């Protein structure tokens, strides 16, 4: 009976060790998730000396770039799946397509949500961005006129 208990204890210990190691150590070939950051720009006009960022407005084009945080990964071998308002954009997704562009419509009342999922050469998901929300703004012009400036009567 003593041999039976020691064999059972050995089997239980072995099973616990295998379970522990499989839950702590990553599986062979399993990629750890990497971070992806989405940065955007727009073709809206701003003066050269303007200190801020141009904002998207009516009929402007927004360009979004997926930036990964690891320098040892070539972004040209990765597959990018772009989602626009929760719908995959098949034409803009694919191998080495790390840039996504879309055009704001005539109305500025819409809100646009963009995210990307990135897969490695084997098709394994290695990164997924949080959603980037783009809200268009009404264009405006601000004129700064010196205090002592006088408008002629005919202007």
């Amino acid at each position: 009976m003593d041999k039976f208990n020691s064999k059972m204890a050995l089997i239980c210990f072995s099973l616990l060790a295998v379970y522990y190691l499989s839950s702590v150590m990553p599986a062979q070939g399993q990629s750890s998730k990497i971070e992806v950051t989405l940065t955007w720009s727009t073709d809206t006009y701003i003066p050269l000396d303007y200190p801020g960022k141009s904002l998207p407005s009516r009929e402007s084009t927004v360009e979004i770039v997926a930036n990964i945080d690891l320098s040892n990964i070539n972004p040209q071998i990765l597959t990018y799946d772009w989602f626009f308002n929760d719908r995959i954009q098949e034409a803009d997704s694919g191998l080495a397509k790390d840039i996504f562009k879309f055009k704001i419509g005539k109305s500025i009342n819409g809100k646009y949500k963009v995210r990307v999922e990135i897969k490695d050469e084997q098709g394994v998901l290695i990164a997924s961005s949080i959603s980037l929300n783009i809200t268009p703004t009404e264009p405006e012009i601000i004129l700064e006129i010196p205090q002592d400036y006088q408008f002629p009567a005919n202007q």
Side-chain angles (χ1 to χ4, degrees):
M1 193 75 167
D2 208 12
K3 271 187 170 181
F4 178 75
N5 285 339
S6 63
K7 282 185 180 180
M8 285 302 288
L10 183 61
I11 291 171
C12 287
F13 177 75
S14 298
L15 289 173
L16 284 172
V18 168
Y19 173 75
Y20 175 75
L21 290 175
S22 67
S23 65
V24 171
M25 298 176 68
Q28 187 71 357
Q30 180 181 355
S31 298
S32 62
K33 296 250 181 177
I34 59 174
E35 285 191 37
V36 59
T37 305
L38 299 180
T39 55
W40 63 271
S41 62
T42 185
D43 62 354
T44 308
Y45 172 78
I46 56 172
L48 286 175
D49 61 346
Y50 182 70
K53 183 175 185 170
S54 63
L55 299 174
S57 188
R58 185 176 296 118
E59 296 190 15
S60 63
T61 300
V62 178
E63 179 180 279
I64 301 170
V65 179
N67 303 293
I68 55 174
D69 67 346
L70 297 175
S71 60
N72 62 343
I73 294 181
N74 179 0
Q76 300 303 306
I77 63 168
L78 301 175
T79 301
Y80 299 81
D81 289 334
W82 289 98
F83 294 84
F84 183 69
N85 291 337
D86 294 323
R87 288 190 167 154
I88 190 161
Q89 302 300 297
E90 296 285 345
D92 297 305
S93 299
L95 183 65
K97 292 189 174 184
D98 60 346
I99 297 175
F100 175 73
K101 292 181 183 181
F102 70 94
K103 191 165 180 93
I104 303 290
K106 291 187 182 217
S107 170
I108 62 163
N109 295 329
K111 293 187 185 208
Y112 303 93
K113 184 166 72 167
V114 178
R115 69 181 177 86
V116 68
E117 292 180 354
I118 303 174
K119 297 176 184 165
D120 65 10
E121 295 171 293
Q122 291 78 33
V124 175
L125 181 69
I126 61 169
S128 183
S129 72
I130 60 171
S131 291
L132 177 66
N133 295 311
I134 306 284
T135 304
T137 60
E138 189 68 45
E140 72 181 63
I141 297 174
I142 299 173
L143 297 175
E144 292 184 18
I145 301 172
Q147 240 178 356
D148 58 349
Y149 184 80
Q150 296 293 319
F151 286 99
N154 63 352
Q155 286 188 349

